[in-house]
Amino acid sequence: MLRIQAPLHYHPMTAGPRWRICACGNIQQGTSSLHDAEANSSRYGERKNRKHPGAYIDKDGEARTFDRKKISRKRGGAMRGRGWKYGSGFVDGVFPVLSPMAQDILELVQKGTDTAKVWQALDNVPPTHALWDDVLNVAVQLRLSRQWDPIISVCEWIVHRSSFRPDVVCYNLLIDAYGRTRRLGKAEAMYAALLEARCVPTEDTYALLLRAYCAAGSLHRAEGVISEMREHGIPPSATVYNAYLDGLLKARCAEKAVEVYQRMKRERCRTNTETYTLMINVYGKSKQPMSAMKVFKEMQSLGCKANICTYTALVNAFAREGLCEKAEEVFEEMQQAGHEPDVYAYNALMEAYSRAGFPQAAAEIFSLMQHMGCEPDRASYNILVDAYGRSGLHREAEAVFESLKRQGMAPTMKSHMLLLAAHARSGNVARCEEVMAQLHKSGLAPDTFALNAMLNAYGRAGRLDDMERLLAAMERRGTRDVGTYNVAVNAYGRAGYLERMEAAFASLEGRGLAADVVTWTSRMGAYSRKKEYRRCLEIFEEMVDAGCYPDAGTAKVLVAACSDERQVEQVTAIVRSMHKEAKTLFTI
């Protein structure tokens, strides 16, 4: 967390004693009385009139100075009645500079003290003209570090206990914090309180409400926000629509995101770089890399300049499908456009090589990143572990995992899951069990992905009894998904236990889960190994009727079931016919 020391603002020889806030709620001074504090306030007024430059840390971490007089009018200063740039957490690109009092308040709320004690301490802070800015600066600083509960504690004090009249910034911070913590009712209550206080909602207010609704999966309420804006004669701007798209992207509602994007264009809402970057991410995560490229081309044709985030999103779109050559082309184009790759761009290119099955190429990018002075992050190591694991190089994956720990980075749940998957592919069940034990020792509860990897390890090793015990435990705890049953269906099918396989497949519907292309293809694969061609075709028809579209793996399984050339020709005709009828999932 960025922290500016007091000497940047207060000369150490002239600054008087500062108030200190204690958790008990008492206000203490170092050595002086109230009279000294008033004298200190007078000296501060004299210093304020001197033209000392202010200081702050910019987005690149560089120390900058500013003219206090100018910034108070134009770029920063008091935040009363103002919003903040959506998604940034600071006003007009300037990070809040905390006064000594604000630093004390920040330290208090970060200690995790209960709300009652925080409020009691804030009640006893001397009410000065600077206290409002101090408290709001603390809340914005907390937002930078995504500390939602402390934000709620501070802003609720303003609303319910302080002598201040809350403004739109305070309510926006609360709507944001409640929305991020999935407390939708509280977020709505804050919006209602904002209107009751006769504050005028800003674009940020509506943007934050949209994100809250999307995070909670209440898309009909999100649409209600757009309708309410129109009723008040406020046409939704790019800021509002971008927040909507971002919320839908995070909620994995890709089709709805495309619908909103089309609406933006119909309404002639001015799209910007962020809009196109979000849509590239939507198509990329929906495994539609060519649609992502079309959005990129559309962006260029309209003269909208791509930034490094746009290029990284496009590299990621191709990376997810293992299209490393296309990812390389975009990466090179990004450099030609004058953007120096950052760790996210390098990670995206590494992911492309990993998905394409070229672990050594991913390792070369990892080394290049270090050579260029860009420090790999935890995700970089995770991608490299996955790259080796996908290729069956479990020893190399283990070495990268250990290197991650040597760098002082604590392995996350995903780190353990990827290592577990690497050993599962190699059939080393004993090591998988050791990794699971390490996971528990680290204080991390295995998530569904990690348990699925363990389930897969048992299935691949033919230890079906162990697999069934783990599956039963996952069902009891509710920590299962469609991937869980995909592992079971595949394991039973490979072992030739068709009745158990069909039972596992049937249990999907009973659990409220829908079979995906992997489930259907694994089921077909069991009959394909026995050359039961007609049964494979029957399952294929069931799959299409269920609205699940086959992929290349499905075609391979069907071909493998064929016993003669006539059947191969029939399968080829079916696949070609479906390929001609296939449409891009989302229109542009």
Side-chain angles (χ1 to χ4, degrees):
M1 182 175 61
L2 298 174
R3 179 165 177 165
I4 308 298
Q5 298 297 329
L8 287 173
H9 307 281
Y10 300 92
H11 195 280
M13 298 303 293
T14 58
R18 53 189 276 200
W19 295 97
R20 291 200 175 277
I21 304 177
C22 302
C24 61
N26 297 327
I27 305 297
Q28 299 178 345
Q29 265 195 71
T31 55
S32 52
S33 63
L34 181 60
H35 176 75
D36 296 325
E38 291 172 353
N40 178 53
S41 176
S42 175
R43 287 197 296 271
Y44 171 72
E46 293 173 6
R47 288 196 305 277
K48 185 177 178 183
N49 292 329
R50 297 174 191 170
K51 295 183 178 179
H52 289 306
Y56 69 97
I57 303 297
D58 68 9
K59 64 181 180 180
D60 299 318
E62 298 291 333
R64 303 287 185 189
T65 60
F66 56 82
D67 186 315
R68 293 183 184 279
K69 188 174 181 182
K70 289 182 179 178
I71 200 167
S72 65
R73 293 199 307 266
K74 293 184 179 179
R75 294 190 63 195
M79 291 191 293
R80 176 170 279 282
R82 300 179 54 158
W84 70 92
K85 185 178 177 183
Y86 177 76
S88 63
F90 50 88
V91 178
D92 291 339
V94 177
F95 285 88
V97 178
L98 302 186
S99 69
M101 176 61 78
Q103 287 283 6
D104 284 343
I105 296 172
L106 180 64
E107 290 169 10
L108 172 71
V109 298
Q110 285 182 326
K111 286 178 181 176
T113 313
D114 63 65
T115 301
K117 289 184 178 180
V118 171
W119 284 14
Q120 184 183 2
L122 290 173
D123 285 342
N124 290 306
V125 176
T128 66
H129 69 283
L131 182 58
W132 170 268
D133 282 339
D134 284 341
V135 174
L136 260 293
N137 279 337
V138 166
V140 174
Q141 184 70 41
L142 289 167
R143 188 175 184 273
L144 287 171
S145 51
R146 304 173 69 83
Q147 299 180 60
W148 310 117
D149 287 332
I151 290 173
I152 292 169
S153 178
V154 170
C155 292
E156 287 278 12
W157 174 80
I158 295 174
V159 173
H160 299 295
R161 291 279 287 268
S162 76
S163 59
F164 298 112
R165 180 179 177 182
D167 71 349
V168 68
V169 177
C170 180
Y171 286 116
N172 282 356
L173 283 164
L174 280 168
I175 291 169
D176 189 25
Y178 281 128
R180 301 270 189 167
T181 52
R182 306 290 178 90
R183 286 178 269 185
L184 193 56
K186 289 281 191 179
E188 289 177 325
M190 283 302 109
Y191 178 65
L194 179 151
L195 297 177
E196 189 176 340
R198 297 187 178 182
C199 289
V200 179
T202 63
E203 286 186 338
D204 295 322
T205 309
Y206 294 116
L208 294 169
L209 273 174
L210 283 167
R211 280 194 57 160
Y213 285 131
C214 290
S218 300
L219 300 187
H220 63 288
R221 295 190 187 181
E223 281 296 319
V225 173
I226 301 294
S227 299
E228 183 172 338
M229 290 184 72
R230 290 201 179 96
E231 286 174 10
H232 288 88
I234 308 171
S237 65
T239 298
V240 175
Y241 272 128
N242 288 348
Y244 197 2
L245 291 173
D246 187 38
L248 292 168
L249 175 64
K250 288 181 171 62
R252 300 182 182 278
C253 300
E255 291 187 44
K256 183 64 178 179
V258 174
E259 179 190 319
V260 171
Y261 176 61
Q262 296 294 344
R263 188 193 307 169
M264 282 184 76
K265 293 199 290 186
R266 285 196 305 271
E267 294 175 358
R268 299 186 181 279
C269 179
R270 192 181 187 87
T271 51
N272 55 28
T273 302
E274 185 182 357
T275 312
Y276 293 112
T277 302
L278 286 166
M279 287 312 302
I280 288 169
N281 268 317
V282 167
Y283 284 116
K285 290 187 176 182
S286 302
K287 298 185 177 181
Q288 296 280 332
M290 298 316 297
S291 295
M293 176 58 87
K294 287 180 181 178
V295 171
F296 183 73
K297 295 295 185 186
E298 177 186 326
M299 175 184 183
Q300 290 180 317
S301 68
L302 294 173
C304 188
K305 191 174 182 181
N307 58 25
I308 191 169
C309 296
T310 314
Y311 284 106
T312 302
L314 192 55
V315 173
N316 267 319
F318 290 115
R320 288 187 182 93
E321 295 299 292
L323 302 172
C324 51
E325 290 184 4
K326 296 295 292 183
E328 283 174 359
E329 290 175 12
V330 176
F331 192 84
E332 289 175 6
E333 185 177 341
M334 175 183 68
Q335 292 174 299
Q336 290 168 3
H339 298 290
E340 183 178 347
D342 58 8
V343 65
Y344 303 105
Y346 282 118
N347 286 351
L349 190 57
M350 283 176 62
E351 184 74 27
Y353 290 122
S354 172
R355 297 290 182 99
F358 299 117
Q360 297 305 327
E364 286 178 12
I365 297 300
F366 185 87
S367 299
L368 175 64
M369 187 189 332
Q370 293 173 309
H371 177 73
M372 297 301 292
C374 182
E375 284 299 318
D377 60 5
R378 188 183 285 106
S380 310
Y381 286 94
N382 286 347
I383 291 168
L384 199 51
V385 169
D386 190 36
Y388 285 126
R390 285 172 181 271
S391 299
L393 304 172
H394 61 93
R395 291 188 181 85
E396 288 82 353
E398 185 84 49
V400 175
F401 183 83
E402 292 301 321
S403 179
L404 167 67
K405 293 194 287 186
R406 284 197 300 273
Q407 294 299 318
M409 301 181 193
T412 60
M413 174 65 69
K414 186 172 184 178
S415 308
H416 285 92
M417 186 269 289
L418 293 171
L419 182 63
L420 196 64
H423 288 295
R425 289 188 186 97
S426 66
N428 191 347
V429 179
R431 181 59 185 134
C432 287
E433 291 173 334
E434 288 175 9
V435 173
M436 190 65 78
Q438 285 178 12
L439 195 62
H440 285 288
K441 191 175 179 181
S442 301
L444 298 170
D447 62 4
T448 303
F449 296 104
L451 292 171
N452 285 351
M454 193 68 234
L455 203 70
N456 190 38
Y458 285 134
R460 282 175 173 267
R463 292 170 55 175
L464 299 185
D465 290 343
D466 290 326
M467 184 189 80
E468 288 172 347
R469 277 195 291 272
L470 179 56
L471 178 60
M474 292 174 71
E475 287 178 334
R476 284 195 301 273
R477 297 172 190 166
T479 53
R480 75 283 181 279
D481 59 8
V482 66
T484 307
Y485 293 98
N486 287 350
V487 171
V489 167
N490 188 50
Y492 287 134
R494 285 181 176 277
Y497 295 120
L498 300 185
E499 289 184 5
R500 292 192 198 179
M501 181 197 71
E502 292 291 359
F505 182 85
S507 65
L508 267 170
E509 186 175 348
R511 305 286 177 182
L513 300 169
D516 62 12
V517 64
V518 176
T519 327
W520 288 102
T521 303
S522 296
R523 186 183 175 203
M524 272 187 276
Y527 294 101
S528 176
R529 292 183 192 93
K530 296 180 178 294
K531 293 294 181 180
E532 294 188 25
Y533 175 69
R534 294 193 179 281
R535 182 59 182 141
C536 284
L537 281 186
E538 288 173 4
I539 295 172
F540 181 79
E541 289 176 2
E542 290 177 32
M543 174 184 178
V544 174
D545 289 342
C548 185
Y549 193 79
D551 61 8
T554 313
K556 289 179 182 179
V557 167
L558 281 173
V559 170
C562 299
S563 301
D564 53 48
E565 289 185 9
R566 184 184 59 80
Q567 291 177 346
V568 172
E569 288 175 3
Q570 187 177 3
V571 168
T572 303
I574 292 171
V575 172
R576 282 178 178 171
S577 173
M578 294 206 69
H579 180 72
K580 287 178 181 178
E581 294 173 3
K583 296 180 180 179
T584 303
L585 184 58
F586 311 124
T587 56
I588 298 180

